[in-house]
């Protein structure tokens, strides 16, 4: 934020002149009561002992020098036990319009060099269509990639295809048994086969294409059913994600971990750490020594790998590909899996901050406040595709991102479809459309804005509401930084809702197109245009469109 950087730079020079060092625990933030100024800083309290003076007296000295040295500061005073409260001039805040106009789509982006990030998300087993829980994870993962790129990181997105192991074999068996059933053959159903109607649809397609399929040996028939089912389901998943504006730059096959020797390489890396051992003809990882609740088997006595072994190999492979920050988006039911994966990361010799997990809590579908039965047989909404068809991509994404991802989410289908200000996504999108409509009407009436506003053009912005809107627009950069630091995309949706609220209030309170006051009209048009740019940039992080009319 321009204000924080301006204050930090000016205050750092003053502290250096006093023969003191900038305190690492310095906090610069808006005071709780906006009447106390734009920003408050605690440096005087941290430095008072070293300066051998009273904290409040030191704060008064800092305030006096800020007023003397920094022309952008309108007011500076000591407060409380030693805070220094600072208020910037109106001219200072008006400059934010020029900043936004100059940066355009890049406004809010960090210029700091970032890290090489591999963000893996969704990664649902290709055993059935994506449900609404996967949709929330998809929205969070894709928007997090957009957010981290804004923060300067180099982000690669990936979907891990669980195409090996028991679940996939069970998928093939389930389709095979349905083929036999449709062909009128006797069938013995296992206890845990896949029962979805989509399994019957795949079996029917296979039987129509290959009438002789039921006469094949069971093993060959199961293999063909497995390949067909996985391909169809995975293609359906890709279609759903594309419709949901979700990007995965790579689709990584679990099978390749064994085929390329990645599992052996991971085991060798763990062996060097001294945390692996053999017992009862099995290969173990001593995760208990690294914070887990017990040691874990990686390779069973029969030679088969555990899921944990594959996951270790996959994460080791990620590091081997040159990424220095791995971020996984998991369902909240995987919370207990985090300590053991952190143990594996530590055993690989990687730092704690090289691995993070974002948890996704359940979504409760509602219709007019009442729970929707999550039953495909009942014809109610269960899949992500159903929700997109019902409410649209924009509404679904915004609703999924409206709360912290590890908090349960109530998603009201009827509310998401409403074209009213009660609908959160409509509320924000309408703010953008309203600005575009005002700018169109202004052009029709002959008001023409330059590409970049100067101080003279912006000078009429002098009301409290002008300043409030300017300050909120200026906070966009800091909000994006905080959101990226905490991996919290919900910060963006909350910010946009607040900015939209201020815009709607401003529009209700102030007439923008003033026939008898062209200078003030142009100033307010420039303000609205810059706010519209911020709304667009924020919606882009969420993967939501910014309509110009509604």
């Amino acid at each position: 934020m321009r204000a924080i950087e301006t204050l930090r730079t000016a205050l750092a020079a003053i502290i250096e002149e006093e023969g003191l060092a900038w305190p690492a625990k310095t906090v610069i933030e808006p005071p709780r009561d906006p009447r106390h100024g734009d920003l408050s800083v605690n440096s005087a309290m941290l430095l008072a002992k070293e300066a051998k003076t009273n904290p409040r007296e030191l704060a008064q000295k800092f305030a006096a020098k800020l007023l003397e040295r920094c022309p952008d500061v309108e007011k500076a005073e000591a407060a409380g036990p030693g805070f220094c409260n600072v208020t910037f001039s109106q001219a200072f805040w008006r400059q934010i319009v020029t900043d936004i106009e100059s940066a355009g789509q890049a406004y809010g982006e960090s210029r700091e060099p970032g890290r090489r990030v591999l963000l893996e998300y969704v990664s649902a087993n290709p055993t059935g269509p994506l449900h609404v829980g996967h949709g929330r994870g998809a929205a969070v993962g894709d928007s997090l990639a957009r957010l981290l790129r804004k923060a300067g990181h180099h982000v690669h997105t990936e979907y891990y295809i669980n195409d090996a192991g028991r679940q996939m074999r069970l998928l093939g068996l389930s389709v095979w048994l349905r083929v036999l059933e449709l062909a009128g053959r006797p069938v013995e159903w296992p206890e845990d086969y896949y029962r979805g109607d989509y399994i019957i649809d795949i079996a029917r397609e296979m039987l129509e294409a290959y009438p002789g399929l039921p006469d094949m040996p069971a093993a060959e028939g199961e293999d063909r059913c497995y390949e067909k089912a996985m391909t169809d389901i995975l293609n359906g998943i890709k279609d759903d994600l594309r419709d949901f504006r979700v990007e995965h730059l790579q689709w990584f096959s679990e099978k390749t971990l064994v085929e390329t020797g990645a599992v052996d390489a991971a085991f060798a890396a763990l062996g060097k750490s001294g945390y692996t051992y053999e017992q009862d003809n099995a290969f173990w990882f001593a995760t208990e020594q690294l914070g887990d609740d017990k040691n874990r088997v990686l390779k069973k006595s029969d030679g088969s790998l555990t899921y944990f072994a594959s996951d270790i190999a996959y994460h080791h492979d990620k590091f081997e590909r040159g990424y220095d920050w791995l971020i996984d988006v998991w369902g909240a039911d995987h919370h207990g899996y985090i300590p053991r994966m952190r143990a594996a990361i530590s055993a690989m010799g990687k730092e704690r901050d090289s691995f993070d997990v974002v948890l996704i809590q359940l979504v409760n579908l509602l219709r007019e406040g009442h729970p929707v039965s999550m039953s495909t047989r009942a014809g109610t909404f269960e899949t992500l595709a159903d929700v997109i068809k019902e409410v649209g991509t924009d509404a679904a994404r915004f609703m999924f991102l409206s709360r912290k991802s590890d908090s349960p989410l109530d998603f009201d289908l009827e509310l998401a479809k409403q074209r009213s200000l009660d609908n959160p996504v409509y509320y924000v999108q309408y703010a953008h459309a309203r600005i575009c409509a005002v700018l169109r009407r202004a052009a029709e009436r002959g008001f023409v804005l330059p590409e970049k506003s100067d101080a003279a053009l912006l000078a009429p912005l002098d009301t409290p509401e002008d300043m409030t809107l300017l300050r909120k627009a200026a906070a966009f950069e800091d909000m994006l930084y905080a959101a990226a630091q905490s991996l919290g995309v919900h910060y963006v949706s909350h910010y946009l809702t607040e900015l939209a609220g201020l815009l709607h209030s401003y529009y209700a309170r102030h007439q923008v197109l003033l026939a008898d006051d062209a200078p003030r009209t142009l100033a307010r048009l420039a303000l609205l245009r810059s706010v519209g740019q911020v709304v667009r940039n924020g919606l882009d992080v969420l993967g939501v469109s910014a309509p110009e009319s509604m």
Side-chain angles (χ1 to χ4, degrees):
M1 182 176 173
R2 167 195 285 270
I4 289 178
E5 289 304 314
T6 300
L7 178 55
R8 181 185 287 115
T9 300
L11 188 55
I14 292 169
I15 288 174
E16 186 178 359
E17 288 178 5
E18 293 292 318
L20 303 170
W22 180 267
K25 295 183 179 180
T26 297
V27 175
I28 303 176
E29 61 185 2
R32 292 182 181 179
D33 188 339
R35 292 176 300 179
H36 295 162
D38 295 321
L39 293 173
S40 182
V41 59
N42 65 342
S43 300
M45 289 189 290
L46 299 173
L47 293 169
K49 186 175 180 180
E50 184 181 351
K52 299 178 181 179
T53 188
N54 179 280
R56 190 174 175 89
E57 291 179 1
L58 187 58
Q60 289 172 338
K61 178 184 285 189
F62 288 167
K65 289 195 173 184
L66 283 169
L67 282 169
E68 177 187 332
R69 310 279 183 82
C70 190
D72 292 318
V73 173
E74 181 179 272
K75 182 179 179 182
E77 58 186 2
F83 289 102
C84 183
N85 291 344
V86 175
T87 301
F88 288 91
S89 68
Q90 289 189 343
F92 173 84
W93 288 115
R94 288 194 287 264
Q95 291 176 48
I96 193 62
V97 173
T98 307
D99 291 348
I100 295 170
E101 290 171 342
S102 298
Q105 292 180 354
Y107 180 68
E109 293 181 4
S110 172
R111 298 178 184 85
E112 298 296 320
R115 302 169 68 181
R116 290 201 69 216
V117 182
L118 183 54
L119 176 58
E120 181 231 325
Y121 59 102
V122 185
S123 298
N125 290 346
T127 55
L130 297 178
H131 56 61
V132 290
H134 296 136
R136 190 180 189 189
V140 169
D142 183 72
S143 296
L144 185 56
R146 296 164 183 255
L147 173 63
L148 291 174
R149 286 171 183 144
K150 285 276 189 184
H153 299 290
H154 307 281
V155 183
H156 189 89
T157 53
E158 193 158 279
Y159 188 116
Y160 180 60
I161 307 171
N162 300 96
D163 54 1
R166 181 177 177 278
Q167 294 300 317
M168 298 309 298
R169 303 315 308 173
L170 186 60
L171 173 66
L173 174 62
S174 300
V175 176
W176 169 245
L177 293 178
R178 287 297 187 187
V179 167
L180 296 179
E181 180 187 42
L182 291 170
R185 308 294 173 86
V187 175
E188 291 186 17
W189 298 102
E191 198 170 312
D192 55 353
Y193 70 100
Y194 288 99
R195 294 171 170 79
D197 290 344
Y198 64 94
I199 298 292
I200 299 175
D201 292 340
I202 294 171
R204 184 176 289 111
E205 288 179 14
M206 292 199 70
L207 192 56
E208 290 174 356
Y210 309 104
L213 182 61
D215 298 319
M216 285 185 177
E220 185 179 348
E222 284 184 38
D223 282 344
R224 294 189 67 167
C225 287
Y226 156 73
E227 292 293 342
K228 166 70 172 172
M230 190 191 72
T231 299
D232 283 5
I233 292 171
L234 193 58
N235 285 339
I237 288 172
K238 290 180 178 181
D239 288 343
D240 289 348
L241 293 176
R242 184 169 52 250
D243 291 343
F244 203 41
R245 301 191 197 120
V246 170
E247 166 215 76
H248 286 95
L249 294 176
Q250 182 163 328
W251 296 72
F252 189 98
S253 165
E254 180 185 359
K255 281 184 177 181
T256 63
L257 293 172
V258 175
E259 296 169 353
T260 61
V263 173
D264 292 336
F267 284 1
L270 293 181
K272 291 179 182 178
S273 71
Y275 290 108
T276 58
Y277 62 95
E278 292 191 16
Q279 181 179 307
D280 300 328
N281 295 320
F283 186 64
W284 292 72
F285 180 24
T287 52
E288 192 174 3
Q289 300 178 43
L290 295 165
D292 197 5
D293 57 349
K294 64 180 180 179
N295 295 335
R296 306 287 174 174
V297 176
L298 299 181
K299 183 182 288 186
K300 302 175 186 177
S301 57
D302 63 2
S304 62
L305 298 175
T306 63
Y307 285 118
F308 187 32
S310 297
D311 286 343
I312 290 175
Y314 178 42
H315 285 76
H316 180 262
D317 180 80
K318 292 179 183 181
F319 284 122
E320 289 295 292
R321 284 186 269 156
Y323 298 102
D324 53 37
W325 189 9
L326 311 184
I327 303 174
D328 295 349
V329 178
W330 293 349
D333 56 335
H334 287 73
H335 181 272
Y337 205 72
I338 297 175
R340 72 188 74 166
M341 187 51 67
R342 285 205 181 279
I345 300 296
S346 297
M348 294 176 198
K350 304 300 181 181
E351 297 297 327
R352 181 178 179 81
D353 70 350
S354 66
F355 173 69
D356 279 295
V357 175
V358 175
L359 294 175
I360 306 296
Q361 261 290 3
L362 297 174
V363 177
N364 303 310
L365 275 186
L366 307 174
R367 188 178 294 285
E368 296 181 340
H370 300 290
V372 173
S373 173
M374 301 289 279
S375 169
T376 304
R377 291 184 182 278
T380 50
F381 296 94
E382 178 182 49
T383 67
L384 174 61
D386 285 333
V387 173
I388 295 173
K389 188 182 298 184
E390 171 84 351
V391 305
T393 294
D394 283 342
R397 285 189 68 124
F398 196 94
M399 296 292 263
F400 281 140
L401 299 168
S402 63
R403 293 200 66 188
K404 196 170 184 289
S405 66
D406 60 359
S407 300
L409 174 69
D410 290 336
F411 189 128
D412 194 310
L413 293 161
E414 291 303 317
L415 176 62
K417 291 188 295 182
Q418 287 182 16
R419 293 178 60 82
S420 75
L421 297 184
D422 292 328
N423 179 349
V425 65
Y426 186 91
Y427 188 73
V428 174
Q429 288 181 316
Y430 185 60
H432 183 266
R434 172 171 265 176
I435 290 171
C436 292
V438 171
L439 292 173
R440 285 195 299 270
R441 288 201 302 272
E444 291 169 0
R445 298 182 188 183
F447 293 105
V448 180
L449 278 174
E451 288 187 12
K452 190 173 181 180
S453 308
D454 57 22
L457 185 147
L458 299 172
L461 297 176
D462 56 8
T463 71
E465 292 77 24
D466 290 326
M467 293 301 114
T468 298
L469 206 48
L470 287 166
R471 290 187 184 97
K472 194 64 180 180
F476 183 66
E477 291 178 305
D478 277 357
M479 179 278 298
L480 285 184
Y481 177 81
Q485 287 289 101
S486 63
L487 305 181
V489 186
H490 64 287
Y491 282 99
V492 183
S493 60
H494 292 179
Y495 169 88
L496 289 175
T497 302
E498 292 171 0
L499 179 61
L502 292 175
L503 183 280
H504 292 313
S505 296
Y506 184 90
Y507 188 82
R509 187 178 181 89
H510 292 289
Q511 187 176 349
V512 177
L513 302 180
L514 301 166
D516 58 345
D517 193 344
R520 189 171 295 275
T521 294
L522 288 173
R524 288 179 175 174
L525 288 172
L527 171 59
L528 262 60
R529 184 174 66 179
S530 66
V531 170
Q533 183 69 63
V534 173
V535 174
R536 278 198 302 280
N537 291 3
L539 287 174
D540 181 65
V541 173
L542 301 182
V544 175
S545 68
E548 296 187 1
S549 61
M550 294 179 72

